Amino acid sequence: MCFKNLPVEFDADGKPFLREDVGNPYALDGAPATNGGPTTLTRDKIEELLERNGHIEQKNFDPVTRVAGALAFHTVVDTTAKKVMDARSVATLFRGYEVIMMGRDPRDAIFITSRACGVCGGVHSTTSALAIEMACGVKPPPLGTVMRNLLLAIEYLYDNPLHLFLLAGPDYSEAIVSKTNPELFRRAEQTHAPHSNVHGYSTIADIMRDLNPLEGSLYLEALGMTRVAREAYVLIGGKYPHPQTIVPGGISATVSLSTLNEIYIRIQKFFDYGKRVAAIYDDICDFFYDADPRYRDVGRTSANLIDLGQWDDPDAYDATYENAGAWGERRWATPGVIIDGKQVTTNLQHINLGLEEFVDHSFYEDWAGDGVRHKTDPLGAPLSPYHPWNKSTRPRPGATNWREKYTWATSPRWDRQAMDAEASARLWNTAVAQKIPSNPYIEATGHSLKMLVPAGRLPEMELEWHVPDVWNAFERNRGRAYCVSYTSMVALNLWSKASELMKAGQSAVSTKFEVPKKGGQLGVGFWGAGRGYLSHHLELDSGVVTNYQIITPSTINASPRDAWDTPGKYEEAVLNTPILETGAGAYQGIDVLRAIRSFDPCMPCTTHIHSDAGVVTREINTCACGVD
């Protein structure tokens, strides 16, 4: 049984059913069973400490502008103990894509929801297409599925370098470390880089120098690699970040062997790059751990991770909800939920059943009292009144109140537990499930993911990402570094399959369809973004959209506290982070910065921390792409 909080059990045939011994099965009374989390004081106790102690201070930063929405952060810190006592993630902007979609032709979603993010719009286009396919009963031809998969892989190859070297990388650069922890940089100058034979840097300090923002060679190289990925993407997608060729039933682009050859030339450039990126982050992470074991607590959260998997098997994917459990497990990235480090399901239907969204601390009205539109999913399994298919988006602006409502973000939960939706979840689920299709390049061992990366200028090399024993900021970044080679090897497999289909004369890339004009239909797009989990839940009535709900990775990670006062993952990560900075002068807040940036805030957005002397955080801006 994968649920321990929701009143859903499974019969002998594995069919979910609602327990009959619970009077009000989805009531919010009673705390859910969890695997622990940061200990937090009540808000009343915090207010009392603020009044009595001069060394306990609060800082509010609202608004903080950014491209993909606005996020402020509220902290209460003990400046003597160097400890964060309270943390609140605040999305200050209502975006309203769910409201914009109401009453529209569902095909509009491909172009409208793409604008939910200026970095990863292509994934929203595809996720909406998947939801429409399910609602309308349309299955793409094999090449259409493969080419759509390939677009996703290429988009990740654009997104990963941005995170690793333009967003997270500078936090480990000479420019930052020499100022915030000068003793660390002196140690780095004397520390040999263990993987120098791969990445070419003699010492850790050499790596840090090239991580410097704007001028470091790793920073500049990453910009170049994003261009390579974009060049490959537009060969199929037409443009980036908002593609023109994604349609329900496949894609609308013409694909030729010449196109595939152009794509291969660019994918090939990531073979050596992925080897070097993994080696660099292995050396950086291990250096910090060796220098001070307390860095293992920076950005630490419980190992609760969720992912929907990506890259469909063209022979298995039929777009139906009825078969989602089967075709989902044949994806190149296995869907799954990790609770306390253990995988509890890989079934897309079960993942969907466990989803709920709460607004107790959000600027929205609760909809649960209106009656439940869908008590069951299309297979007859029980649905919570808080499930996305039952949700109504009703904005209710108000003044910020830390005890009550303080953000435009909602609180998505799985089995009533806060989840980490970061990109490394796809590595973790795929590694432990051991369900990845047979192929020459990637092997799941049950505790690791091995990647045999072909030779380029560097020789053929086997990389191995291991399931970590602690989940923190460093491991999120390390996992993302290994995602470069993992994604490039998936792309190589997809390219081979596309070439095989083309040579066999299977050149069709789309299936014609009509939007049903009568009755009601449900659909859900199970997909992902560069930074992790992504789902679009759709309801149609008489051919128009009557409900549309988007859950993005940043919606999940940036979520506020829920009905049981459980913090979201940004909040949990900051609460667990020790303050290890030692540099003279004004406090920079680098430890908190690393914690938040490890979740991959959007590239167009930046994370800023300013501080008065002795104050832990002054201003934090991260990306909550898609929070509504």
Side-chain angles (χ1 to χ4, degrees):
M1 184 175 72
C2 63
F3 301 118
K4 62 181 180 181
N5 292 312
L6 292 180
V8 179
E9 295 186 358
F10 297 84
D11 63 20
D13 296 322
K15 184 177 180 179
F17 66 91
L18 192 65
R19 288 172 50 189
E20 297 180 355
D21 60 339
V22 182
N24 187 359
Y26 291 103
L28 302 184
D29 54 342
T34 67
N35 58 311
T39 301
T40 60
L41 301 175
T42 65
R43 191 66 201 183
D44 288 337
K45 182 62 176 178
I46 288 172
E47 297 288 352
E48 177 189 340
L49 291 171
L50 285 168
E51 291 182 7
R52 289 196 295 111
N53 299 283
H55 62 277
I56 295 178
E57 304 180 29
Q58 65 176 342
K59 295 293 178 180
N60 300 306
F61 317 100
D62 182 13
V64 180
T65 58
R66 57 199 163 86
V67 173
L71 186 69
F73 216 86
H74 166 77
T75 60
V76 175
V77 299
D78 184 332
T79 57
T80 299
K82 296 291 185 71
K83 178 181 178 182
V84 180
M85 302 180 67
D86 193 27
R88 304 290 170 121
S89 175
V90 186
T92 65
L93 177 67
F94 172 64
R95 306 180 70 199
Y97 286 94
E98 299 168 331
V99 178
I100 293 170
M101 279 304 305
M102 295 292 285
R104 290 182 176 270
D105 186 301
R107 290 166 291 193
D108 291 349
I110 292 172
F111 305 102
I112 292 173
T113 67
S114 171
R115 271 66 186 177
C117 183
V119 173
C120 55
V123 298
H124 286 283
S125 294
T126 303
T127 310
S128 64
L130 293 169
I132 296 165
E133 286 171 359
M134 186 177 289
C136 297
V138 55
K139 174 187 175 181
L143 186 60
T145 297
V146 173
M147 296 309 293
R148 200 159 60 187
N149 288 344
L150 196 53
L151 279 175
L152 179 75
I154 294 168
E155 187 163 347
Y156 286 3
L157 291 176
Y158 160 83
D159 194 282
N160 290 337
L162 286 181
H163 169 67
L164 292 166
F165 295 107
L166 279 73
L167 184 59
D171 293 339
Y172 307 92
S173 68
E174 174 201 23
I176 297 297
V177 176
S178 63
K179 181 182 299 182
T180 61
N181 293 88
E183 79 289 351
L184 267 183
F185 188 71
R186 289 193 295 270
R187 178 175 178 139
E189 291 181 304
Q190 304 300 319
T191 302
H192 171 72
H195 294 93
S196 60
N197 63 315
V198 178
H199 52 57
Y201 293 102
S202 297
T203 68
I204 300 298
D206 292 333
I207 297 175
M208 289 180 173
R209 291 187 184 96
D210 274 358
L211 287 172
N212 282 339
L214 300 179
E215 60 184 15
S217 65
L218 288 171
Y219 185 101
L220 297 174
E221 181 186 26
L223 283 174
M225 295 306 293
T226 65
R227 176 174 179 170
V228 171
R230 287 196 300 270
E231 288 174 352
Y233 191 96
V234 299
L235 290 168
I236 315 168
K239 68 184 184 72
Y240 189 86
H242 309 300
Q244 295 293 100
T245 62
I246 300 296
V247 295
I251 63 171
S252 62
T254 299
V255 180
S256 66
L257 289 174
S258 176
T259 303
L260 292 179
N261 289 337
E262 290 289 335
I263 291 171
Y264 178 81
I265 290 171
R266 290 161 175 84
I267 292 173
Q268 190 179 35
K269 294 182 180 181
F270 285 89
F271 295 172
D272 282 355
Y273 186 67
K275 299 168 191 173
R276 294 177 55 242
V277 169
I280 286 167
Y281 268 87
D282 273 340
D283 285 355
I284 286 288
C285 294
D286 294 343
F287 168 78
F288 275 84
Y289 288 170
D290 290 342
D292 190 337
R294 290 178 296 173
Y295 278 108
R296 294 169 65 86
D297 288 331
V298 170
R300 178 175 54 81
T301 65
S302 55
N304 289 1
L305 298 93
I306 187 169
D307 192 68
L308 295 174
Q310 294 90 35
W311 300 302
D312 288 303
D313 183 331
D315 299 320
Y317 175 67
D318 64 4
T320 67
Y321 186 79
E322 289 75 12
N323 296 326
W327 54 254
E329 291 185 349
R330 290 180 61 175
R331 287 179 155 183
W332 285 98
T334 309
V337 174
I338 306 291
I339 297 293
D340 197 19
K342 305 296 181 183
Q343 192 171 65
V344 297
T345 185
T346 58
N347 188 299
L348 280 175
Q349 184 205 13
H350 299 168
I351 297 174
N352 185 51
L353 295 181
L355 289 175
E356 294 178 293
E357 199 168 352
F358 301 103
V359 294
D360 300 80
H361 293 284
S362 308
F363 296 133
Y364 298 93
E365 293 181 6
D366 197 343
W367 63 91
D370 297 344
V372 181
R373 292 196 302 271
H374 304 286
K375 292 185 177 180
T376 65
D377 72 356
L379 294 179
L383 282 181
S384 167
Y386 301 98
H387 186 275
W389 271 330
N390 286 318
K391 180 190 173 187
S392 296
T393 301
R394 298 176 181 173
R396 192 184 74 183
T400 300
N401 185 320
W402 303 127
R403 292 182 179 83
E404 298 174 5
K405 295 180 180 289
Y406 60 88
T407 178
W408 282 107
T410 61
S411 297
R413 297 292 185 262
W414 190 85
D415 194 23
R416 304 203 161 174
Q417 300 179 76
M419 305 300 295
D420 186 330
E422 196 269 336
S424 298
R426 67 178 61 104
L427 292 178
W428 198 319
N429 277 295
T430 305
V432 300
Q434 295 182 274
K435 296 181 179 182
I436 191 169
S438 177
N439 72 101
Y441 308 111
I442 311 169
E443 176 190 358
T445 69
H447 57 82
S448 68
L449 205 58
K450 292 182 178 180
M451 291 150 278
L452 185 64
V453 185
R457 291 185 177 180
L458 292 172
E460 178 183 83
M461 190 175 300
E462 182 179 86
L463 305 181
E464 186 171 11
W465 176 85
H466 297 270
V467 171
D469 61 356
V470 63
W471 190 234
N472 60 21
F474 289 88
E475 296 306 329
R476 289 186 192 95
N477 288 327
R478 191 201 304 260
R480 196 62 177 277
Y482 276 82
C483 275
V484 176
S485 288
Y486 171 54
T487 302
S488 64
M489 291 303 95
V490 170
L492 184 55
N493 278 300
L494 294 171
W495 178 86
S496 297
K497 182 64 175 178
S499 300
E500 176 186 310
L501 290 169
M502 290 287 292
K503 291 173 182 178
Q506 298 187 49
S507 59
V509 292
S510 64
T511 302
K512 291 184 178 180
F513 75 102
E514 296 290 336
V515 176
K517 299 302 182 183
K518 295 182 180 180
Q521 295 83 26
L522 292 176
V524 54
F526 296 117
W527 206 234
R531 59 188 49 79
Y533 173 111
L534 179 63
S535 66
H536 287 207
H537 285 76
L538 164 71
E539 182 177 2
L540 301 180
D541 189 6
S542 301
V544 300
V545 174
T546 55
N547 195 14
Y548 204 99
Q549 300 294 329
I550 302 172
I551 300 180
T552 72
S554 292
T555 309
I556 297 172
N557 294 332
S559 65
R561 295 171 188 244
D562 55 27
W564 305 277
D565 206 37
T566 304
K569 290 301 176 181
Y570 286 3
E571 296 178 346
E572 182 184 347
V574 170
L575 286 166
N576 282 334
T577 294
I579 307 305
L580 303 176
E581 194 170 320
T582 61
Y587 189 86
Q588 300 297 309
I590 188 61
D591 303 303
V592 173
L593 179 66
R594 288 173 180 143
I596 296 177
R597 275 192 167 161
S598 67
F599 289 92
D600 184 18
C602 257
M603 168 55 196
C605 313
T606 55
T607 304
H608 306 290
I609 293 186
H610 304 290
S611 168
D612 300 323
V615 178
V616 172
T617 60
R618 177 66 183 173
E619 185 179 81
I620 300 177
N621 171 24
T622 67
C623 173
C625 297
V627 292
D628 297 301

